[in-house]
Amino acid sequence: MALAYSGGLDTTVSIRWLQEKYNGEVITVTVDVGQEEDFEEIEERALKSGAIKHYFIDAKKIFAEEYVARCIKANGLYEGVYPLSSALSRPLIAKEVAEIALKEGCDAVAHGCTGKGNDQLRFDITFSSVAPDLKIIAPVREWNMSRDEEIEYALKKGLPINPKKSRFSIDENLWGRSIEAGELEDPWIEPPIEAFKYLKPLEETPNNPRELTIGFRGGVPVSLDGVKMPLERMIMELNIIGGLYGVGYVDHIEDRVIGLKSREIYEVPAAQLIIQAHIDLEKMVLGRRLLEFKSIIEKKWADLVYSGLWLDPFRKALDAFIDETQKEVSGEVRLKIYRGTARIVGRRAEKPLYHPELITYSSKSVFHQKDGEAFSRLWGLETHLWHKRHKL
Ligand code: ARG
């Protein structure tokens, strides 16, 4: 069988457990979606834990260009705050694992998701769509061990885990880090600073604001402070810069698909900065009716991606609409970041719908103000007629 292997506690324990329970040979597959781990160490851990073969796949570029870029164009924020970082990576990881399982002639594919979360949907649905004939095994759903019991099992079997690091359940990729478990399950407790990788405590952020300019072409970021760069590099840089200024913190009570509420912590500096800038630039370029309708599409998109249906044709149809809206979303947005906040301080678009010669209050205005009189009369006609009949 092929196992999606992150190198963390759940999947390390899964290797041994799969061998014992199913008497099977386990091939581990680690997909790099920008989680900045030591992949050699992960391979070693997999083999030490009993894997017969290990695959490493660098999918950072595909992840940035085919998944994250779509999220940016869709201003994808589940419940208004979560930029879908984990939700986006799962269908890609699962697809890579399923393809290796097919290539290796495996009879099953496995993932380390629990039965309580959304990730199981994303893996199961991708596995069954890409490799419909393979059995899906999810050890964590079957074994019913607590995190502490997993640590105990791992130590007993001599598996190479780090019990200290395993206090939180962290899922990391280019687009963000999701942090759960441990004391975070108490929604009253503030997340300790060691849970974060980029974010500095507010009191340690620089004393002066920093300005950033993000350039977009066709709705996708292409330059930072005037320097052209691939999306994946820009995201990495913005995670570091944003984090240094305390930007990118999300702590919210999230509604999972299965109907449970959970307290989620996300560390998403680049995602927050980019989406904020993108929303702003769209307002410079797109008309109000389109913007209003797009916001409905965006919500559908975020809900669909969150709920594991990346491969559903509905998502493709929504993306076709979104792509059409993005053709002219090109220009630059200026932001100022300071002590955990980001504010937009300027923008310019290549083809703006914003016309200064019309809106200006100065003598340069070319707007015919007289037009306003008739427009105003007709715009309010119905309201005005109502009040003629019904006294206030
Ligand atoms: N709640 C988020 C989601 O469903 C994050 C899940 C990530 N998993 C984790 N082990 N922290 O997308």
Side-chain angles (χ1 to χ4, degrees):
M1 59 195 79
L3 166 71
Y5 185 64
S6 67
L9 178 67
D10 288 332
T11 52
T12 301
V13 172
S14 292
I15 300 178
R16 179 59 57 87
W17 188 88
L18 282 167
Q19 287 173 326
E20 289 181 355
K21 169 101 198 263
Y22 289 93
N23 205 10
E25 290 181 330
V26 180
I27 296 173
T28 44
V29 184
T30 300
V31 182
D32 180 4
V33 278
Q35 63 268 49
E36 293 185 309
E37 297 259 11
D38 182 338
F39 293 109
E40 276 170 28
E41 200 187 302
I42 288 180
E43 170 162 9
E44 228 171 81
R45 203 176 306 152
L47 298 173
K48 268 197 195 143
S49 306
I52 56 150
K53 192 170 178 180
H54 178 79
Y55 276 90
F56 168 76
I57 293 162
D58 180 354
K60 286 196 289 294
K61 200 173 153 59
I62 306 175
F63 182 55
E65 290 173 5
E66 286 172 33
Y67 293 72
V68 174
R70 295 212 166 279
C71 184
I72 296 168
K73 291 194 269 189
N75 297 321
L77 292 171
Y78 180 66
E79 295 187 328
V81 290
Y82 166 42
L84 297 162
S85 42
S86 298
L88 284 168
S89 72
R90 303 316 197 185
L92 173 58
I93 297 170
K95 178 172 154 282
E96 298 290 347
V97 175
E99 281 168 358
I100 285 178
L102 291 172
K103 190 179 100 183
E104 287 280 347
C106 297
D107 53 10
V109 266
H111 62 71
C113 305
T114 73
K116 294 183 182 176
N118 307 307
D119 282 334
Q120 59 181 333
L121 306 174
R122 302 162 187 157
F123 272 99
D124 287 343
I125 296 166
T126 311
F127 279 165
S128 60
S129 302
V130 177
D133 297 329
L134 301 190
K135 183 177 157 66
I136 298 172
I137 308 174
V140 182
R141 270 196 309 223
E142 283 183 40
W143 67 37
N144 213 8
M145 279 190 268
S146 69
R147 259 185 108 67
D148 288 338
E149 284 161 353
E150 283 179 45
I151 295 174
E152 205 179 293
Y153 176 98
L155 295 175
K156 202 171 77 203
K157 304 274 175 188
L159 302 178
I161 59 138
N162 180 347
K164 251 208 172 138
K165 244 182 107 183
S166 305
R167 179 164 127 233
F168 300 121
S169 165
I170 298 180
D171 177 55
E172 178 176 337
N173 63 54
L174 199 59
W175 198 226
R177 295 175 81 240
S178 314
I179 310 152
E180 292 172 343
E183 67 262 39
L184 301 177
E185 286 172 1
D186 179 346
W188 183 249
I189 289 182
E190 183 176 356
I193 199 62
E194 66 264 27
F196 299 101
K197 174 172 161 184
Y198 306 108
L199 275 165
K200 289 273 166 289
L202 284 179
E203 54 277 18
E204 286 174 28
T205 57
N207 287 325
N208 292 308
R210 159 145 186 190
E211 204 180 305
L212 295 166
T213 302
I214 304 179
F216 290 85
R217 177 148 289 279
V220 179
V222 288
S223 67
L224 181 59
D225 294 334
V227 182
K228 283 214 167 336
M229 61 181 77
L231 182 56
E232 72 220 73
R233 211 186 107 206
M234 189 184 318
I235 294 170
M236 285 194 250
E237 291 204 6
L238 284 175
N239 276 335
I240 292 168
I241 302 170
L244 211 59
Y245 284 76
V247 172
Y249 177 85
V250 177
D251 175 345
H252 90 131
I253 302 300
E254 184 167 296
D255 291 285
R256 292 190 185 166
V257 180
I258 53 167
L260 285 174
K261 283 193 184 289
S262 71
R263 194 273 185 99
E264 300 282 333
I265 306 295
Y266 299 108
E267 190 179 10
V268 283
Q272 276 191 356
L273 291 165
I274 290 173
I275 292 180
Q276 190 181 350
H278 180 257
I279 290 173
D280 185 83
L281 185 61
E282 280 187 322
K283 290 196 224 169
M284 256 321 246
V285 178
L286 303 178
R288 59 178 155 177
R289 293 176 192 86
L290 183 46
L291 283 173
E292 191 195 355
F293 190 70
K294 183 168 180 274
S295 72
I296 299 169
I297 299 290
E298 286 170 358
K299 175 152 190 327
K300 287 275 174 214
W301 193 94
D303 287 353
L304 199 71
V305 171
Y306 183 79
S307 64
L309 299 175
W310 178 265
L311 287 181
D312 196 279
F314 185 28
R315 200 264 309 158
K316 273 200 160 175
L318 294 175
D319 269 329
F321 173 85
I322 293 168
D323 280 344
E324 179 62 33
T325 66
Q326 296 300 294
K327 290 182 179 158
E328 304 300 347
V329 182
S330 301
E332 286 182 310
V333 180
R334 290 172 61 204
L335 300 113
K336 236 175 210 173
I337 53 174
Y338 181 60
R339 299 238 195 271
T341 62
R343 70 165 68 155
I344 307 270
V345 294
R347 79 286 287 154
R348 61 178 171 212
E350 282 176 21
K351 293 183 186 163
L353 205 51
Y354 175 82
H355 285 273
E357 71 285 10
L358 289 172
I359 193 68
T360 181
Y361 290 115
S362 77
S363 56
K364 290 193 200 97
S365 174
V366 297
F367 189 88
H368 301 292
Q369 296 219 35
K370 254 200 128 343
D371 291 352
E373 193 185 322
F375 175 72
S376 179
R377 207 163 34 236
L378 296 179
W379 178 249
L381 182 62
E382 200 180 78
T383 312
H384 156 79
L385 288 175
W386 170 276
H387 285 288
K388 249 179 116 172
R389 290 255 186 267
H390 311 267
K391 286 282 163 248
L392 264 180

